[in-house]
Amino acid sequence: MTEKEIATLLLQNALATQRADAEDYTEANSDPSLKALGNATIANSLEKLGGHGIVADVQPTFGEHGMGFVYRVSPKLVDELSSEELVASLVNGLFDGPRSETSSTLAALLENCGRATINQVYHDDLLASIKELRICFAQECYIACLALAGKILEICLKQVLIDNKIEFDDKWMIGRLLAQFKEANVERYLDQSLPDIANIINKSRISAVHSKEKIPVPSRDQAAMVIHAVVDTVNRVIVSPGR
């Protein structure tokens, strides 16, 4: 069994346990295939998962299956990792070599946004979208990257309008939100390239939901460019709104 397979099995077992009882711990050795590997191997995998914030707590135990470990994964992952594909994407990201600059930037952004004050209407949606964006970029799903980047940008623009007590329709998309921002003469700096970024995003998003249209598949560089522009906007609006 490879390191990736061990980590995947540990994570899947814990998710199943915590979906049945959110407060319960998983005994690693209750799975015969894991017990056969030995506690040292299990400990190494749990340590790696813990270092990435996936495993939240590990305790030694001496129970029905002998000496070993019980553990819990981060509670937020129980809902977020709703399919085997999402579990695989998360684990693959740990073992597929060094992260790209874009992936590292998104990881830092997610951490910073977790500490920032965000309007409660959009709080969970923003964090989930950043996390999914990081996964999609790592898996080279660039059409999905642009769709998520657009969603994140919309949340930022709505936050700016809320901060400045400017009315808007929650159904508005990027272009209308940018127009409202411009019309209101808000004294808040936003990157001048955002209208161009919005056009790139909208061209991909609109085509992606109409079967008769050919979807323009963005390159990795195009996706990275859009992502970094959106990250800059999130940092200015959400993380450090005073700068």
Side-chain angles (χ1 to χ4, degrees), residues 1-19 24-51 54-59 61 67-74 77-78 81 84 87-88 90-91 94-95:
M1 190 179 294
T2 66
E3 290 184 41
K4 187 184 295 187
E5 290 170 337
I6 295 168
T8 300
L9 189 53
L10 285 167
L11 181 53
Q12 288 174 331
N13 289 349
L15 291 171
T17 298
Q18 288 172 236
R19 286 187 182 121
D24 206 359
Y25 280 71
T26 299
E27 185 175 354
N29 282 338
S30 64
D31 188 311
S33 59
L34 289 172
K35 184 176 182 179
L37 299 172
N39 286 328
T41 298
I42 292 172
N44 287 337
S45 188
L46 289 173
E47 182 179 6
K48 184 177 184 68
L49 292 171
I54 297 171
V55 167
D57 189 23
V58 179
Q59 301 289 338
T61 186
M67 184 175 293
F69 302 97
V70 293
Y71 63 100
R72 296 180 73 242
V73 298
S74 174
L77 295 178
V78 177
L81 299 179
E84 290 185 3
V87 171
L90 179 61
V91 175
L94 306 181
F95 292 91

Side-chain angles (χ1 to χ4, degrees), residues 135-148:
I135 292 172
C136 287
F137 187 78
Q139 296 301 310
E140 302 181 359
C141 301
Y142 301 134
I143 294 175
C145 284
L146 264 60
L148 287 163

